[in-house]
């Protein structure tokens, strides 16, 4: 329903919408098949979250010929940094008016970047001076502490046990899990454990 409304708004503004994708895997396949000028990529998608789809497109060089604008309800500075470092040319909040999205699309097509409601003439400089550095070697922007928490979940520990093992408060574990869910696109502990195994995350032995 949201995609339909967005498509209608874009077409009403004179843009040609080539296709819609219902999940991340489909989005990647359509980009490679159609090579669109712009891809509007939602961070929250079933089967394959937006950051994973973006990472796959970036690895294969598809973010060079298709300009990607990330759509999200909210994003941390680290998520913005990760998205831009993976080749996204812009990030627009979902609650922004349609005219903001249209302005962002125009800016990106003209070779600029876009973050929130701001045109960014130089994305490299923006990444270097305005956003936190994405840690090297940590998939999906996960921190060492977040990888420790994930390791605890994979080993079957509950939040209280993870907190005790890491010497932190249980509420801190919950906060880390919230950030982890946002970065990986999963929504449950079971999905997180499966995600960690399937994507070969560098787990840590907490025993």
């Amino acid at each position: 329903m949201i995609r339909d409304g967005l498509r209608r708004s874009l077409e009403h503004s004179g843009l040609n919408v080539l296709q819609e994708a219902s999940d991340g895997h489909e989005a990647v396949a359509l980009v490679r098949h159609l090579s669109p000028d712009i891809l509007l990529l939602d961070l929250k998608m079933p089967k394959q979250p937006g950051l994973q789809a973006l990472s796959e497109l970036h690895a294969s060089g598809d973010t060079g010929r298709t300009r990607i604008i990330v759509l999200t309800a909210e994003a941390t500075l680290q998520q913005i940094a990760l998205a831009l470092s993976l080749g996204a040319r812009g990030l627009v909040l979902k609650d922004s008016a349609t005219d903001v999205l249209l302005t962002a699309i125009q800016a990106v097509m003209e070779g600029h970047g876009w973050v929130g409601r701001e045109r960014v003439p130089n994305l490299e400089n923006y990444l270097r001076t305005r956003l936190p550095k994405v840690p090297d070697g940590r998939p999906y922007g996960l921190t060492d502490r977040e990888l420790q928490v994930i390791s605890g979940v994979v080993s079957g520990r509950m939040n209280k046990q993870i907190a005790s093992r890491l010497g932190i408060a249980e509420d801190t574990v919950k906060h880390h899990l919230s950030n982890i869910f946002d970065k990986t696109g999963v929504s449950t502990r079971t999905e997180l454990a499966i995600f960690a195994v399937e994507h070969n995350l560098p787990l840590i032995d907490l025993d």
Side-chain angles (χ1 to χ4, degrees):
M1 187 169 61
I2 295 174
R3 289 202 318 271
D4 182 66
L6 181 58
R7 175 181 56 79
R8 290 174 183 272
S9 296
L10 294 174
E11 290 179 337
H12 180 72
S13 301
L15 297 179
N16 180 25
V17 179
L18 296 178
Q19 191 56 272
E20 299 174 39
S22 59
D23 59 60
H25 292 301
E26 189 177 351
V28 170
L30 285 173
V31 166
R32 290 173 175 168
H33 177 64
L34 299 172
S35 294
D37 293 322
I38 292 285
L39 167 66
L40 299 180
L41 184 66
D42 197 333
L43 286 189
K44 294 280 190 180
M45 291 189 295
K47 297 184 180 179
Q48 186 183 48
L51 283 177
Q52 285 180 249
L54 181 58
S55 179
E56 187 174 340
L57 290 170
H58 177 68
S60 59
D62 293 291
T63 53
R65 59 179 182 269
T66 294
R67 300 171 177 88
I68 298 176
I69 297 176
V70 170
L71 299 178
T72 181
E74 58 181 359
T76 64
L77 288 177
Q78 191 170 42
Q79 284 177 307
I80 296 173
L82 180 58
L84 296 181
S85 70
L86 289 175
R89 307 290 184 89
L91 182 142
V92 177
L93 297 177
K94 289 181 181 178
D95 62 359
S96 298
T98 303
D99 58 344
V100 172
L101 177 58
L102 293 172
T103 303
I105 292 174
Q106 182 179 3
V108 168
M109 286 301 298
E110 292 173 352
H112 302 289
W114 188 276
V115 178
R117 295 178 176 271
E118 178 183 356
R119 181 188 295 262
V120 180
N122 188 317
L123 279 177
E124 281 190 23
N125 184 62
Y126 188 90
L127 264 171
R128 186 173 63 253
T129 62
R130 299 277 298 276
L131 295 175
K133 186 178 184 299
V134 177
D136 294 329
R138 295 177 176 84
Y140 310 106
L142 295 166
T143 65
D144 285 338
R145 179 65 84 189
E146 288 167 347
L147 287 170
Q148 290 175 332
V149 171
I150 293 173
S151 300
V153 171
V154 173
S155 65
R157 290 177 168 88
M158 302 306 294
N159 290 351
K160 186 175 182 179
Q161 294 171 309
I162 296 173
S164 175
R165 180 64 185 82
L166 298 179
I168 57 179
E170 187 174 352
D171 284 344
T172 303
V173 173
K174 293 178 181 177
H175 176 73
H176 284 311
L177 279 173
S178 179
N179 288 336
I180 291 166
F181 286 172
D182 285 341
K183 291 178 180 180
T184 60
V186 304
S187 55
T188 68
R189 299 171 73 91
T190 300
E191 288 178 2
L192 177 59
I194 295 172
F195 178 93
V197 173
E198 288 183 344
H199 293 83
N200 296 314
L201 295 186
L203 300 178
I204 302 164
D205 187 0
L206 298 184
D207 291 328

